[in-house]
Amino acid sequence: MTDTTTTPPAAGRGPVPLPAAGARLLIAAGAVGTIASTFMSWTWTPDFPGDLTVYGYPAGLQVLALVAGALTLLFALRLWDVPGLRWLNPGNATSPVFLTAMAAFTVCWFAGIAIAVDLGGLVNLDPGAYVAMVASALPVVGALALPHPAPGTGLTGYLTKPAQPRPGKLSPLAERGFITAGTALALITFTYGIGIDNDASETFIGFLLLVVFATWALMHTGLVDRYATISAHHKGFAASLAFLAAVIFPFTQSDDHNANVGVNILIFATVALGLNIVVGLTGLLDLGYVAFLGVGAYAAALVSGSEYSRFSGVQFPFWAAALTGMAASLVFGVLIGAPTLRLRGDYLAIVTLGFGEIFRITVNNLDGDSGPNITRGPNGITQIPDLNIFGFNLGQPHEIAGFTLGRFANYLFLMLIVTAIVVLVFTRAADSRIGRSWIAIREDETAATAMGINGFRVKLVAFALGASLAGLAGTVMAHVNYSVNPQPYQFAGAAPPNSAFLLAAVVLGGMGTVSGPLLGASVLYLVPEKLQFLQNYELLAFGIALILLMRFRPEGIIANRRRQLEFHETGQLDVPAQKTLTDEPAATKAGA
């Protein structure tokens, strides 16, 4: 029998049928069982990452299962229409419940399988692991027993974002509180993920499973879209909070290596933002963009005061070195762009790919044997001294408010300032007259030219600006790494930076957006860093990720609205429902 109990009608709404009581109980019981299992032992030996042998103290994958179980329980309570949880799933849609249940299921079952594989058999599983695996399966069964979100569509219906009721308007103070909560959640998530030991790849895979399914569920509830909309209304406040969260991050880390990971993410994210001007806004496919990063790095290294520099007696202050790196990249951008930007499509891509290879081969040959001794060839320029800015040596640890900040934390603060400058340049340029011209060129160059836009000049400006931003990031990278050498500056390499990495960061994150390349660079750098066994299969992983992305979300993780309209038919986009949580049904309004 099905439960036909209904909720009391809200103002202006008819009765809403509640799902079957048995399914609701199954979801809630499974969620409680999953939470309880995390306080039990999952294996008898501490050899498995995280030490899952302690009763009453969740660790490693148990913490992730605990969070997934708690999320599933919250969504289960929403099915019972518990007061105060209506915001979590305004339309009481089925798919978010299914996705949170899948988060707990995948984490628990992956943990059980990983223990059995790593330690040599099911005999290594303690009762807690079996409880977790059984309990986490119950909410999945219960969610599938709920009314289907789109009858007749099968599993696709659970993966398709449902139309949620349009939320009521919040006060400005509540909107700022919502942005603050979202920023804090993002900081906690990133801090936890980056803090996972590189040897604990099992824990990081569980973390990825939880983040993917939980984020997917929140997208289906409409909370992610609402956060994006509210952030757009409070751009200054949201940007300030994001910058503050990044400043707080080094104070949360006891290992300076994690700050080093953060510095590299910011460097590559900054370069990806420059590439986003060329690819995302202007629509030019550049396959040799990493060469501009190399030009800036080599230019800064030559004037850094290194004893291995061709100009060892020259040591510019940071601001002068940064301007030198930007100017060198700008000049190369103009020199390469001027004769080639009259090409389009694949022809332009081939030329830029050739430029990237020419740069790498050239600096490799400027060793004093094959050519002039400028770059020292494969040996590169080494022993680049740390920056000293206003008497503050970035290479030395410093005590601030009782916290010891190491070398990489110092460079992280510097890169935050550089990234903020690049973001400001990107946003101002994109919103300017030249930015609108870039977009017009990307949409239809022939039509834009017919309307009076000088396509060649506009593309050359984009090329030069993107190159100079890459040169600025290269200036900092040269000092962070102590050296520069030709090896990284190729189309595809064993590790970033390379052009394939940068292009994937832009496409994966979302072309034409600010936060897209930042997110894309973070994901693509952090995943190989934590999953060491993937480093030999990096290109394969890139290919699989891009294929999946092109199939399910071609506009990128963070979608530009214009791009979203290009890639989807109108019926495929998320259209707000015709009623709000407090409005009368659309039919009643029409009749009135």
Side-chain angles (χ1 to χ4, degrees):
M1 294 180 60
T2 58
D3 181 9
T4 57
T5 308
T6 59
T7 57
R13 297 180 65 200
V16 181
L18 287 178
R24 287 181 286 158
L25 286 173
L26 198 61
I27 296 170
V32 171
T34 303
I35 294 172
S37 71
T38 62
F39 292 89
M40 303 171 65
S41 172
W42 284 14
T43 183
W44 63 274
T45 173
D47 292 341
F48 190 81
D51 191 4
L52 311 183
T53 64
V54 182
Y55 279 87
Y57 188 80
L61 286 165
Q62 291 174 328
V63 174
L64 302 174
L66 175 62
V67 173
L71 282 174
T72 306
L73 182 60
L74 283 175
F75 277 88
L77 294 176
R78 171 64 185 99
L79 292 175
W80 293 87
D81 210 22
V82 173
L85 291 179
R86 195 170 199 175
W87 59 271
L88 187 62
N89 188 7
N92 227 353
T94 303
S95 60
V97 185
F98 171 74
L99 291 170
T100 51
M102 283 298 297
F105 177 80
T106 53
V107 170
C108 292
W109 278 76
F110 169 75
I113 294 172
I115 292 172
V117 172
D118 289 359
L119 301 181
L122 296 175
V123 69
N124 295 285
L125 296 177
D126 273 1
Y130 289 107
V131 172
M133 295 170 74
V134 173
S136 64
L138 298 181
V140 177
V141 176
L144 292 174
L146 295 175
H148 197 284
T153 60
L155 184 60
T156 306
Y158 289 96
L159 305 180
T160 303
K161 187 176 176 181
Q164 292 278 8
R166 187 175 299 163
K169 185 172 178 59
L170 297 175
S171 66
L173 182 61
E175 288 183 340
R176 287 181 169 84
F178 186 45
I179 295 173
T180 303
T183 305
L185 179 61
L187 175 61
I188 293 171
T189 303
F190 181 77
T191 302
Y192 183 88
I194 204 172
I196 297 174
D197 291 337
N198 290 356
D199 296 333
S201 58
E202 295 86 353
T203 305
F204 190 77
I205 292 175
F207 170 76
L208 290 179
L209 291 172
L210 173 60
V211 169
V212 168
F213 280 103
T215 304
W216 203 348
L218 293 177
M219 292 175 66
H220 278 218
T221 63
L223 288 177
V224 174
D225 288 340
R226 192 174 192 189
Y227 178 84
T229 301
I230 293 176
S231 296
H233 292 162
H234 301 275
K235 286 184 179 179
F237 181 76
S240 300
L241 272 185
F243 185 82
L244 179 61
V247 170
I248 293 173
F249 167 73
F251 294 96
T252 66
Q253 303 299 309
S254 58
D255 186 357
D256 201 39
H257 173 73
N258 294 335
N260 182 27
V261 174
V263 170
N264 284 291
I265 287 175
L266 285 178
I267 290 174
F268 301 137
T270 301
V271 181
L273 271 175
L275 179 60
N276 201 20
I277 294 177
V278 179
V279 176
L281 294 181
T282 317
L284 306 175
L285 183 56
D286 189 346
L287 300 182
Y289 186 77
V290 74
F292 298 122
L293 176 67
V295 170
Y298 268 98
L302 288 171
V303 297
S304 64
S306 168
E307 61 177 297
Y308 293 99
S309 168
R310 179 68 175 81
F311 313 105
S312 57
V314 179
Q315 184 171 5
F316 285 4
F318 171 68
W319 64 268
L323 290 177
T324 301
M326 293 178 66
S329 296
L330 176 65
V331 169
F332 272 87
V334 172
L335 290 177
I336 298 303
T340 62
L341 285 178
R342 300 185 190 278
L343 301 174
R344 298 188 187 183
D346 297 340
Y347 300 102
L348 178 62
I350 293 171
V351 170
T352 56
L353 177 62
F355 165 64
E357 286 302 300
I358 289 171
F359 167 77
R360 183 180 62 84
I361 294 171
T362 300
V363 296
N364 203 44
N365 289 333
L366 296 179
D367 57 356
D369 294 328
S370 302
N373 185 14
I374 298 177
T375 65
R376 298 184 69 236
N379 296 322
I381 301 173
T382 57
Q383 295 188 16
I384 298 174
D386 283 305
L387 292 172
N388 194 305
I389 302 176
F390 302 118
F392 189 87
N393 190 339
L394 273 63
Q396 300 295 325
H398 295 85
E399 291 282 342
I400 298 180
F403 293 90
T404 301
L405 299 179
R407 175 179 183 270
F408 293 116
N410 297 330
Y411 278 103
L412 179 62
F413 290 130
L414 175 62
M415 270 311 303
L416 282 175
I417 297 174
V418 172
T419 304
I421 293 173
V422 172
V423 169
L424 179 63
V425 170
F426 180 90
T427 53
R428 297 299 294 172
D431 294 336
S432 67
R433 180 178 179 180
I434 190 70
R436 292 191 293 272
S437 299
W438 289 337
I439 295 173
I441 290 292
R442 184 192 71 197
E443 300 301 323
D444 192 327
E445 184 173 352
T446 302
T449 303
M451 295 301 294
I453 295 176
N454 188 328
F456 172 74
R457 185 181 65 184
V458 167
K459 291 189 290 185
L460 187 61
V461 170
F463 215 68
L465 180 58
S468 61
L469 295 181
L472 175 60
T475 301
V476 180
M477 189 180 74
H479 290 85
V480 171
N481 294 339
Y482 287 125
S483 65
V484 290
N485 65 81
Q487 183 59 32
Y489 306 108
Q490 49 188 316
F491 173 71
N498 55 67
S499 292
F501 173 92
L502 297 172
L503 186 61
V506 173
V507 175
L508 178 67
M511 292 186 290
T513 65
V514 174
S515 51
L518 298 176
L519 177 61
S522 301
V523 172
L524 292 179
Y525 187 88
L526 195 57
V527 170
E529 172 73 15
K530 296 299 181 181
L531 303 180
Q532 298 291 331
F533 64 89
L534 278 181
Q535 289 189 350
N536 294 329
Y537 306 97
E538 186 174 338
L539 290 180
L540 175 62
F542 278 177
I544 294 174
L546 290 176
I547 289 172
L548 293 175
L549 191 72
M550 292 301 100
R551 171 59 183 86
F552 296 105
R553 196 170 177 85
E555 66 273 21
I557 298 175
I558 300 178
N560 177 277
R561 185 61 179 173
R562 184 181 284 106
R563 282 282 184 178
Q564 200 172 24
L565 291 171
E566 290 176 11
F567 285 116
H568 294 281
E569 298 175 3
T570 304
Q572 293 177 292
L573 289 176
D574 306 317
V575 180
Q578 296 298 316
K579 60 183 179 181
T580 67
L581 294 177
T582 56
D583 289 344
E584 298 182 30
T588 305
K589 290 184 179 180

